[in-house]
Amino acid sequence: MIPALDRKLLRDLWRMKGQALAIAAVIAAGVAMYVSQLGMLDSLRLTQHEYYSQYRFAHVFAGCKRAPESVMEDIRGIDGVQTAESRVVWGVTLDVPGLDEPAVGQLISYPDHGEPLLNDLFIRTGDLPQGPDQIAASEAFCKAHKFKPGDSVVALINGRKRRLTITAIVLSPEYVYSLPAGGFIPDDKRYGVFWMRRHELAGASDMQGAFNDVTLTLKPGASEPEVMRRLDDVLAPYGGRGAMPQRLQLSNWFLNNEITQLEQFGNVLPVIFLAVAAFLLNVVMSRLIATQREQVAALKAFGYRDRDVAIHYAKFVLLVSIIGGIIGAAAGAWMGRGLTQIYTEFYHFPVLVFRLDPLLPVRALAITAGASLLGAMASVRKAAALPPAEAMRPEAPPTYRRTLVERIGLEHVLRQPTRMILRELERRPVKAALSVLGISMAGALLVVGFGFIDMVNYVIDSQANVLQREDVSVTFIEPRNRSALHDLRAMPGVQHAEPFRNVPARLRFKHRWRLAGINGVSRNATLNRVVDEDLKPLVLPDEGVALSRALADVLGITGGDMLTLEVLEGERPTRQVRVAALVDDFLGLNAYMDLEALNRLMRQDGVISGAHISVDPAAQRQLYRQLKDTPFVAGVSLKQAAIDNLRKTMAENILITLGMTVFFAGVITFGVVYNAARISLSERSRELASLRVLGMTRGEISYILLGELAILVLAAVPLGCLLGYWMARGTLAALNTETFRLPFVMSDMSYSVAATVVLVAGAISALIVRRRLDRLDLVEVLKTKE
Amino acid sequence: MEEEQIYVLADSARATVFEARGVTKVYRMGEVEVHALRGADVDLYEGEFVVLLGPSGSGKSTLLNILGGLDTPTAGTVRYHDNDISSAGDRELTEYRRNHVGFIFQFYNLIPSLTARENVALVTEIARDPMRPEEALALVKLADRMDHFPSQLSGGEQQRVAVARAVAKRPNVLLCDEPTGALDFKTGIKVLDALESVNRELGTTTAVITHNAAIAEMADRVVHIADGRIAKVDVNLTRKKPAELSW
Ligand SMILES: Nc1ncnc2c1ncn2[C@@H]1O[C@H](COP(=O)(O)OP(=O)(O)OP(=O)(O)O)[C@@H](O)[C@H]1O
Ligand SMILES: [Mg+2]
């Protein structure tokens, strides 16, 4: 037997099912966001961890120019080194069938016998290469070109062209993200990673008995900085390029930044969602309890205790939030699995590991229930504190008064129904304010979602149209004299060529350091430029370096400090340079210098490492073909391809999350608006029925109720925009990472789209309420007293 | 049987249920003080049927609420048997209401989402020695409407459900604030009939507030209240049956 009080609960819930469902939907949205995001992140981290440990991802990476194999003895002898393995890593230019422009690749040696000690390969299809000119190719590259084992590419290795045949398609923990050195955007079509047997590659690159790359793992408890310092000492005579910990290994660094960004989204957004849900429950509960005042008083008159009454309404809240929580957890688990699948493919993990920590939905439910109870606590308390004597007398008629509009003498302007709307609003300003606040919070979530999407697009557009206005960038194999520019300018279709220099260096400030390239930007650059936050070209100072603000933060350096540059090419000098400016750029950690100033710093003259070029579209293919056959050209990057890839990367990363945000914000908006409408309907159906009895038409009573709703919704729109502005501002910082940063720019578009969604939700709710008003059973309503 | 009843009722040596002395109730509304009761002295005896009469605003509901433990007096004492309920705390009053008092309100105050039977069950579930809800509804002659919701019942039927709900826990006292106030004559008689039979058959001490002097004829005693005080108490030597009343 269900106790009568619980039956009342279930029947009340059933009667309010529309509203209860709307609230449950809001809660479900928050929980689904929470469970799917955190479940996906958990799975990603787990997949990453499993992958790294199963395939023996190294702890420390170091490159050098050329070291004899015997040096490995010294490296293995470093205290704290567990396993060390030497490799040959060789950059090549590729002639890929079907691609006009040259692509670049990385050839990595694979032991002649057995498996590599570290950084093992996962073989997707095919067999590992055995003979000469056979390679295993990265899956990303093969997918981009639809290559299968048996296909081949032509590579320019050490000045000699060789046709390499793919025998296997593989994945490597080192290239979860395949990024060309210094790049921030994967370009799977123009960048490939390949593995070749050690003696084959050594033969092709003249590296017999030598290596130019070493990776190692640490013994448990070993000091990473200490091992790296010793490794640097060992490799220094052989042109060591500086050891890099796993944390900063390009692919891993990028992957972790991505996951961090997703994590921050996953933590921030669901919290806002749940807060809105809790707020909403509070509004609904306080109104429900207000309508049940006399019932509560009667219960207490019969001897129900305060606690019984409080528990009764708390159960109501819990039931709604648990229904929402369960729906949300189920949807979240389902979406989390889908998201994990998307990311697994995107990051080229060999296997999908989806794990839903059973505690996660439980925690989500607990948070929801807690938040809901917290939200409803005030009203539940109020119900429990209601004096029982209230049951004995009917509720005092509400006190209305003439509204401000009427008091200031505009009364004849207003017709009676309009006056009723205004008086209702003025009589219960708190109720009206809460409704407005609820709707505007939902609207604010939309503004945040659309705002961030807008910011992502802003970054992509600025990158395409303001920062990178070139069509292609050509990088030379070695830095060359400025005169190389003439060769480029003479090529077909070249309209404008702008030199740049990129100097790989270790940037050091006190104990912190990062590897980065110093970008030498030519003065008066018109193609590839550094800009300030208003996208105005920034004139780089005559002396000193300009750093990405994010890089300065990483190094703990500020403007005016002296930065140490340990140059990793040529004579490998160490230089001091003053930080002259900080730049708010969007992608990666960058250092910029005036090209002349950089050359002066390097004590060189007129050295460039490539050029940005604008191209006549008609001669494009011709130019690319010629570049392919130009021996000093190491690689060509196409702006459009970079932008497309950036867009794709964004789409695969934060835009998925933002899309979900916007979708759920839409659900919430509808839930909130519909709720506001339904509560007014249930509170006022008696009054409206009386008006119908007095002879008012359906249209007239609809006007009274819906007019009120319209005013609330309209008032909520600007407030929502304002709240959204502040919410976006407050959460933006948490979303920025070392790899990708959004500037705070809110477009009118975000506001107007968000406003439109709110208005549409208002209109749909109005239509539903209007249909209910049309079916208002006058006798029924007037007979029962609620 | 009826003779005997009257004889017993007239016996002033019978136990006192309520003993109210100098009961004062002041409502403070901002600056204004409203004196709802100004020192009312009254006793209610075991098993009697009392009608409280008086003009509107004289303090009838206030007195009844205090007797029923819904409210506490500003000054004065109210004893229920040997307990002082005027100084009892909220918790004790709740227990007191739960175990001893049955209420009937002018506006029925049924829970609209519960059927007649469930409205009664709401009270029997927390009582010590209740009747079955069906029994209580049979007592008010609503056995055939048990599964109807309040909105499917007439006003009189709703008030009879309220009577059933109040008596189902076998309370020691039954307090009714204008139980027929919203009803027509014939329906009112039915409700009074139900009250009278409970009082007679279960011996429940019953106090009924009314504006209708005619109803006073079915009481053992009539307490007249005016201006927050007990103006006079009439004792009826014979009680009329509700069916014999006319107004
Ligand atoms: N909660 C309250 N706050 C302020 N004044 C109150 C309150 N309850 C009652 N009063 C005042 O106390 C006085 C007595 O009220 P009470 O309800 O006891 O009268 P009553 O005799 O039951 O009248 P009626 O026959 O109209 O029901 C009235 O003047 C009333 O306005
Ligand atoms: Mg009264």
Side-chain angles (χ1 to χ4, degrees):
Chain A
M1 259 309 277
I2 309 170
L5 204 54
D6 289 342
R7 283 169 189 247
K8 164 180 179 311
L9 181 84
L10 294 176
R11 298 231 175 91
D12 286 347
L13 199 62
W14 182 247
R15 192 171 50 83
M16 296 176 62
K17 56 187 175 298
Q19 266 161 279
L21 220 59
I23 301 172
V26 173
I27 292 170
V31 172
M33 281 292 280
Y34 181 83
V35 170
S36 65
Q37 292 287 312
L38 294 189
M40 176 268 287
L41 284 162
D42 201 25
S43 305
L44 268 190
R45 290 258 186 234
L46 185 72
T47 307
Q48 183 191 21
H49 181 261
E50 293 276 295
Y51 187 27
Y52 282 3
S53 71
Q54 248 180 44
Y55 289 84
R56 304 185 295 279
F57 188 42
H59 297 156
V60 174
F61 302 77
C64 63
K65 201 149 180 90
R66 183 196 173 98
E69 190 61 28
S70 58
V71 171
M72 283 308 290
E73 285 314 307
D74 301 341
I75 292 174
R76 291 199 184 93
I78 294 174
D79 198 25
V81 171
Q82 173 102 302
T83 309
E85 188 171 37
S86 67
R87 300 191 297 189
V88 175
V89 174
W90 208 256
V92 295
T93 314
L94 298 174
D95 183 352
V96 183
L99 199 65
D100 287 334
E101 63 277 11
V104 291
Q106 190 90 286
L107 278 176
I108 300 173
S109 69
Y110 191 89
D112 289 327
H113 307 287
E115 293 177 347
L117 299 175
L118 302 173
N119 309 308
D120 198 3
L121 298 180
F122 170 85
I123 302 168
R124 183 74 85 192
T125 52
D127 299 304
L128 286 174
Q130 292 302 334
D133 295 337
Q134 290 190 344
I135 50 170
S138 60
E139 186 180 60
F141 180 78
C142 291
K143 263 196 182 152
H145 292 285
K146 299 198 172 64
F147 282 157
K148 289 182 295 296
D151 290 329
S152 61
V153 294
V154 173
L156 191 69
I157 312 177
N158 222 11
R160 279 192 302 276
K161 277 200 175 181
R162 303 177 70 147
R163 177 167 292 276
L164 304 176
T165 306
I166 298 170
T167 64
I169 295 175
V170 297
L171 298 174
S172 159
E174 248 183 305
Y175 294 93
V176 169
Y177 236 115
S178 11
L179 292 168
F184 300 106
I185 308 156
D187 183 353
D188 296 335
K189 249 192 149 79
R190 289 165 202 84
Y191 180 71
V193 186
F194 312 98
W195 286 262
M196 207 177 196
R197 290 291 177 183
R198 173 81 176 256
H199 74 272
E200 301 288 349
L201 181 54
S205 58
D206 266 338
M207 291 287 280
Q208 287 99 338
F211 68 90
N212 66 354
D213 184 271
V214 60
T215 62
L216 55 83
T217 48
L218 301 170
K219 284 191 180 131
S223 153
E224 184 186 81
E226 185 55 28
V227 170
M228 287 190 344
R229 210 180 50 72
R230 301 266 315 270
L231 181 61
D232 284 349
D233 289 347
V234 173
L235 288 177
Y238 307 103
R241 271 193 289 276
M244 176 128 64
Q246 188 186 67
R247 184 169 50 84
L248 294 180
Q249 193 267 346
L250 198 57
S251 155
N252 184 49
W253 174 67
F254 218 92
L255 182 59
N256 283 334
N257 267 295
E258 292 284 356
I259 295 179
T260 304
Q261 188 163 50
L262 292 173
E263 217 158 43
Q264 281 155 346
F265 266 117
N267 284 322
V268 170
L269 293 173
V271 170
I272 301 180
F273 277 50
L274 288 181
V276 173
F279 173 78
L280 200 62
L281 261 170
N282 182 24
V283 174
V284 172
M285 283 315 287
S286 63
R287 292 211 183 167
L288 173 72
I289 289 168
T291 59
Q292 298 200 344
R293 237 178 101 261
E294 289 161 35
Q295 296 183 34
V296 172
L299 286 176
K300 296 183 80 174
F302 302 143
Y304 277 91
R305 305 182 175 100
D306 292 1
R307 181 162 37 99
D308 303 328
V309 173
I311 289 174
H312 175 64
Y313 286 102
K315 273 189 194 165
F316 191 97
V317 174
L318 281 179
L319 212 59
V320 173
S321 65
I322 284 174
I323 290 171
I326 287 174
I327 295 172
W334 179 72
M335 290 187 316
R337 174 169 254 289
L339 283 176
T340 308
Q341 186 144 23
I342 292 172
Y343 285 114
T344 301
E345 279 173 31
F346 176 54
Y347 292 129
H348 303 293
F349 286 134
V351 284
L352 168 109
V353 187
F354 181 71
R355 177 181 68 176
L356 187 67
D357 184 350
L359 275 181
L360 195 62
V362 171
R363 204 173 333 134
L365 277 181
I367 294 175
T368 326
S372 319
L373 279 181
L374 206 70
M377 195 158 68
S379 358
V380 171
R381 269 227 197 100
K382 210 167 114 191
L386 207 66
E390 295 278 319
M392 295 300 231
R393 55 180 160 257
E395 193 176 3
T399 44
Y400 284 91
R401 53 193 210 139
R402 303 196 323 145
T403 61
L404 188 65
V405 186
E406 294 168 278
R407 289 198 297 275
I408 59 176
L410 290 175
E411 54 194 278
H412 358 273
V413 190
L414 303 174
R415 286 180 42 247
Q416 198 55 40
T418 308
R419 282 186 211 174
M420 289 185 63
I421 294 174
L422 294 179
R423 284 185 193 168
E424 176 69 19
L425 289 172
E426 262 205 38
R427 178 173 74 87
R428 296 165 72 179
V430 175
K431 178 197 106 170
L434 285 180
S435 294
V436 170
L437 198 61
I439 298 170
S440 48
M441 273 169 82
L445 283 178
L446 284 168
V447 170
V448 171
F450 286 122
F452 284 159
I453 289 177
D454 250 13
M455 289 180 217
V456 170
N457 286 326
Y458 173 87
V459 165
I460 295 173
D461 289 346
S462 314
Q463 199 70 30
N465 303 322
V466 184
L467 282 92
Q468 286 183 266
R469 304 204 301 176
E470 72 276 9
D471 295 309
V472 291
S473 300
V474 176
T475 310
F476 305 147
I477 286 177
E478 296 274 307
R480 295 176 75 82
N481 189 275
R482 228 192 139 82
S483 61
L485 220 48
H486 298 299
D487 302 342
L488 287 179
R489 289 193 178 126
M491 289 186 184
V494 173
Q495 291 172 326
H496 185 67
E498 202 169 82
F500 67 85
R501 175 152 195 201
N502 193 292
V503 178
R506 188 200 297 250
L507 278 52
R508 190 188 284 283
F509 182 67
K510 295 186 178 152
H511 61 282
R512 305 197 201 182
W513 60 269
R514 273 304 164 103
L515 291 178
I518 313 284
N519 299 315
V521 181
S522 73
R523 180 143 304 204
N524 306 324
T526 56
L527 298 179
N528 196 291
R529 306 180 296 183
V530 185
V531 297
D532 64 16
E533 56 196 295
D534 300 321
L535 299 180
K536 296 261 159 37
L538 198 77
V539 179
L540 290 169
D542 283 338
E543 294 298 330
V545 63
L547 300 181
S548 303
R549 193 178 299 280
L551 178 56
D553 290 345
V554 166
L555 295 175
I557 201 169
T558 49
D561 288 337
M562 292 303 280
L563 179 71
T564 305
L565 296 185
E566 297 170 17
V567 175
L568 297 171
E569 68 168 32
E571 301 290 299
R572 307 167 65 82
T574 296
R575 300 271 192 266
Q576 298 285 316
V577 62
R578 189 172 298 284
V579 176
L582 297 181
V583 183
D584 291 292
D585 51 4
F586 311 132
L587 303 175
L589 302 179
N590 305 296
Y592 309 95
M593 278 185 85
D594 178 70
L595 180 56
E596 299 305 319
L598 179 58
N599 273 327
R600 271 201 301 284
L601 187 76
M602 296 293 292
R603 310 217 173 105
Q604 289 169 329
D605 190 26
V607 176
I608 62 176
S609 44
H612 302 295
I613 299 174
S614 64
V615 184
D616 172 9
Q620 204 175 359
R621 304 190 67 164
Q622 221 186 328
L623 173 68
Y624 293 163
R625 273 196 221 110
Q626 185 162 349
L627 283 172
K628 224 186 226 180
D629 290 328
T630 309
F632 64 81
V633 170
V636 166
S637 80
L638 271 57
K639 195 273 289 285
Q640 195 51 50
I643 296 303
D644 291 347
N645 279 313
L646 179 61
R647 204 179 288 281
K648 189 164 154 261
T649 308
M650 288 300 123
E652 279 162 335
N653 282 286
I654 53 182
L655 286 184
I656 294 180
T657 308
L658 287 177
M660 276 170 59
T661 307
V662 167
F663 171 76
F664 285 125
V667 171
I668 289 188
T669 306
F670 187 79
V672 176
V673 176
Y674 179 66
N675 238 300
R678 280 305 302 273
I679 294 175
S680 300
L681 176 65
S682 70
E683 280 174 353
R684 303 188 67 196
S685 50
R686 231 179 123 73
E687 181 186 348
L688 296 175
S690 317
L691 291 175
R692 286 275 286 133
V693 172
L694 293 180
M696 275 203 183
T697 64
R698 289 182 176 145
E700 281 162 338
I701 61 163
S702 299
Y703 172 75
I704 292 173
L705 193 67
L706 300 182
E708 185 190 330
L709 180 67
I711 290 177
L712 296 178
V713 169
L714 287 177
V717 166
L719 186 61
C721 290
L722 202 69
L723 277 177
Y725 175 89
W726 288 111
M727 265 191 209
R729 212 175 179 132
T731 45
L732 182 65
L735 303 180
N736 285 340
T737 62
E738 295 179 10
T739 47
F740 185 72
R741 296 173 294 276
L742 294 173
F744 188 73
V745 278
M746 296 288 286
S747 73
D748 296 344
M749 198 61 193
S750 324
Y751 295 123
S752 49
V753 176
T756 308
V757 174
V758 172
L759 294 178
V760 167
I764 295 175
S765 305
L767 277 178
I768 298 176
V769 169
R770 168 74 211 239
R771 275 196 36 198
R772 295 205 149 243
L773 275 180
D774 285 351
R775 284 180 301 166
L776 201 62
D777 182 337
L778 302 184
V779 180
E780 179 86 4
V781 172
L782 293 177
K783 199 162 146 193
T784 49
K785 190 171 150 36
E786 275 186 34
Chain B
M1 168 79 194
E2 204 158 87
E3 271 354 57
E4 230 174 64
Q5 188 88 9
I6 292 162
Y7 170 75
V8 172
L9 288 171
D11 184 0
S12 55
R14 138 175 56 151
T16 310
V17 178
F18 285 110
E19 187 187 291
R21 290 292 173 272
V23 176
T24 303
K25 181 74 186 179
V26 182
Y27 289 108
R28 186 176 290 281
M29 304 182 69
E31 298 288 285
V32 203
E33 283 189 352
V34 180
H35 290 258
L37 290 174
R38 310 165 183 268
D41 300 320
V42 68
D43 289 341
L44 262 58
Y45 304 115
E46 187 90 53
E48 71 171 340
F49 194 113
V50 174
V51 162
L52 302 176
L53 269 180
S56 184
S58 56
K60 305 182 295 293
S61 296
T62 306
L63 178 63
L64 200 76
N65 289 352
I66 289 173
L67 294 180
L70 292 180
D71 221 341
T72 46
T74 316
T77 57
V78 180
R79 298 188 71 78
Y80 169 75
H81 291 295
D82 286 331
N83 307 301
D84 182 359
I85 57 169
S86 49
S87 61
D90 190 52
R91 193 175 293 254
E92 291 149 299
L93 285 182
T94 303
E95 290 307 306
Y96 162 63
R97 291 198 301 268
R98 176 183 280 229
N99 296 320
H100 301 278
V101 189
F103 280 106
I104 295 164
F105 312 108
Q106 180 176 0
F107 296 103
Y108 333 136
N109 287 48
L110 298 182
I111 305 293
S113 54
L114 295 179
T115 61
R117 191 209 310 254
E118 289 160 353
N119 259 290
V120 178
L122 196 61
V123 172
T124 58
E125 279 168 10
I126 57 167
R128 279 179 188 161
D129 171 33
M131 310 175 190
R132 289 184 305 110
E134 294 77 10
E135 248 180 280
L137 284 164
L139 209 61
V140 294
K141 305 195 171 61
L142 277 178
D144 51 338
R145 307 297 298 271
M146 283 192 298
D147 291 320
H148 286 93
F149 284 94
S151 62
Q152 296 164 326
L153 298 171
S154 74
E157 285 160 346
Q158 289 185 53
Q159 190 61 301
R160 273 146 68 199
V161 174
V163 173
R165 186 173 61 177
V167 303
K169 67 162 117 165
R170 304 183 205 277
N172 298 1
V173 292
L174 195 54
L175 305 176
C176 318
D177 196 345
E178 301 188 41
T180 59
L183 303 176
D184 67 29
F185 169 73
K186 263 182 74 182
T187 328
I189 294 294
K190 281 189 185 163
V191 171
L192 292 173
D193 231 359
L195 289 178
E196 198 265 349
S197 64
V198 168
N199 170 255
R200 183 161 38 79
E201 287 165 24
L202 305 177
T204 311
T205 308
T206 306
V208 176
I209 292 179
T210 180
H211 279 123
N212 190 335
I215 294 177
E217 294 179 42
M218 65 179 279
D220 294 308
R221 292 192 303 142
V222 183
V223 176
H224 294 266
I225 301 181
D227 203 16
R229 291 189 190 87
I230 308 299
K232 62 170 181 174
V233 179
D234 293 336
V235 180
N236 290 337
L237 289 177
T238 53
R239 274 169 64 167
K240 275 195 183 172
K241 290 194 155 208
E244 298 161 9
L245 302 178
S246 57
W247 67 77

